[in-house]
Amino acid sequence: MARFASAVLLAAALLMAGRLTNAGPSTTAEEVFWRALLPGSAVPDAVLQLLRPATTTSPTKRPASQGVPASGGARDDDDDDDHSFEGYEFSYDAPIATTRGGGAATPTPTSPTAAVFFHEEAVRVGERLPLHFRAAAPAALGLLPRGVADSIPFTTAALPAVLALLGVPPGSSRAAAMAETLRTCERPPPVAGEAEEARFCATSLEAMVERAVAALGTRDVRAVTSALPRAGLPPQAYTVRAVRRIRGGASFVACHDEAYPYTVYRCHGTGPARAYLVEMEGARGGGAVTVAFVCHTDTSRWNPEHVSFKVLGTKPGGAPVCHLMPYGHVIWAKNVKPSPA
């Protein structure tokens, strides 16, 4: 155990020396891996940012962003200016959908200011959508090298040791958010049959790519992300200017970043779905944005208490439920040739 702890501490020290100084390489090993495995798919800009996190960011503090802490509880004294674990989370088996990084606020049936869930009819040219693209708050350490990530235990049982290693105070909101991420990643499929859809958490870029490829059954895939400013945009109405269907077969793999000191992606098969890239222009300026949307066409296995049904006035198995993909979240799609006209 002592040898293991020493190895992890050494790995962390090496990481800090390379990731939080200006000594980083121009091309990372993760980029080389991506280009070798997926030569036809560019690394999304938001993912590149995670491979080269800000050199002035400390390992347990990140720039503040807007919103309510994902832990849902009171903030600790050491968290006064730290909203590092805020953002989107989409969980279809849970009744509550909270928000994590770079997108709109959690909706309620009586909150018209910003939307997360939509009817598919809303993703049409000329429609107006109330949205709030929040400032992204990515994990301070970004995507760890695979060897380092694999050396750090990613289990609830090992959490006390990991808190000590990463300098996160036990009992803090950051520790609570980390515990919730681990519980989410360790949660078994909630209903019979859901095991047929991929569900996994990835602690490195290589793990995310390999498991997404395995879930889709082919290496001929591409990564699709929203083109959004990392600094966010003020809440406003956006007019849909163009809609492009993301070709990828009948289902996709969606990956959402989770609350952790380093980047953890929670990925899942979408089940039957349609996906779109939607070009929109805000009423208050700020330029055009292109946002990825996923529309789930079969919600029959979702929790009947899921907030989307309350917001949209529908029920499991009813009309498709659509949601946007925030900054840094990834849709994995098969490369499917268009059918001949």
Side-chain angles (χ1 to χ4, degrees):
M1 185 66 183
R3 180 182 300 176
F4 168 79
S6 298
V8 173
L9 287 169
L10 175 61
L14 292 173
L15 172 68
M16 298 295 289
R19 282 293 176 90
L20 301 181
T21 70
N22 292 319
S26 58
T27 300
T28 66
E30 293 89 344
E31 291 173 76
V32 173
F33 168 87
W34 181 295
R35 292 167 184 169
L37 192 65
L38 307 173
S41 177
V43 184
D45 287 342
V47 175
L48 283 175
Q49 292 285 342
L50 293 172
L51 294 174
R52 302 165 181 156
T55 59
T56 57
T57 304
S58 80
T60 57
K61 286 280 186 181
R62 289 185 283 175
S65 69
Q66 308 165 44
V68 179
S71 63
R75 295 191 307 176
D76 305 287
D77 291 341
D78 62 311
D79 295 334
D80 286 344
D81 296 311
D82 182 26
H83 298 181
S84 58
F85 292 139
E86 295 167 354
Y88 275 100
E89 178 184 347
F90 296 107
S91 182
Y92 311 129
D93 55 298
I96 302 298
T98 58
T99 55
R100 279 203 43 74
T106 303
T108 66
T110 58
S111 175
T113 57
V116 171
F117 298 103
F118 311 88
H119 290 294
E120 194 169 15
E121 290 75 15
V123 191
R124 298 289 185 269
V125 173
E127 293 292 326
R128 288 169 61 87
L129 304 175
L131 298 170
H132 181 191
F133 298 109
R134 296 175 180 273
L141 293 176
L143 278 161
L144 298 186
R146 187 176 208 169
V148 175
D150 289 349
S151 73
I152 303 174
F154 190 71
T155 64
T156 297
L159 181 58
V162 175
L163 294 177
L165 172 67
L166 298 179
V168 178
S172 67
S173 63
R174 294 193 293 277
M178 290 171 67
E180 179 58 27
T181 290
L182 290 169
R183 283 192 293 270
T184 299
C185 290
E186 293 169 351
R187 186 182 301 152
V191 294
E194 185 160 339
E196 298 173 3
E197 298 174 5
R199 177 186 288 192
F200 60 89
C201 286
T203 59
S204 66
L205 179 137
E206 294 93 333
M208 176 175 66
V209 172
E210 288 176 351
R211 297 196 66 176
V213 163
L216 292 171
T218 176
R219 289 175 57 175
D220 190 14
V221 304
R222 67 193 185 281
V224 181
T225 60
S226 297
L228 294 167
R230 189 175 184 180
L233 289 167
Q236 59 189 297
Y238 286 82
T239 301
V240 176
R241 300 302 188 193
V243 179
R244 287 176 287 153
R245 179 87 175 264
I246 298 173
R247 303 292 176 182
S251 63
F252 306 85
V253 171
C255 293
H256 311 283
D257 71 321
E258 291 292 308
Y260 223 69
Y262 54 88
T263 300
V264 173
Y265 274 107
R266 177 177 56 84
C267 304
H268 60 88
T270 61
R274 289 183 284 269
Y276 302 94
L277 279 174
V278 181
E279 297 178 21
M280 299 184 291
E281 187 173 355
R284 297 171 56 185
V289 296
T290 300
V291 183
F293 281 76
V294 176
C295 293
H296 299 269
T297 57
D298 181 3
T299 60
S300 59
R301 293 175 179 169
W302 288 26
N303 189 314
E305 298 301 315
H306 193 277
V307 68
S308 65
F309 299 134
K310 294 177 170 56
V311 171
L312 300 178
T314 184
K315 60 184 179 180
V321 172
C322 303
H323 64 77
L324 60 81
M325 295 291 285
Y327 177 94
H329 295 213
V330 183
I331 299 173
W332 292 94
K334 297 179 184 178
N335 287 319
V336 177
K337 294 181 180 179
S339 302

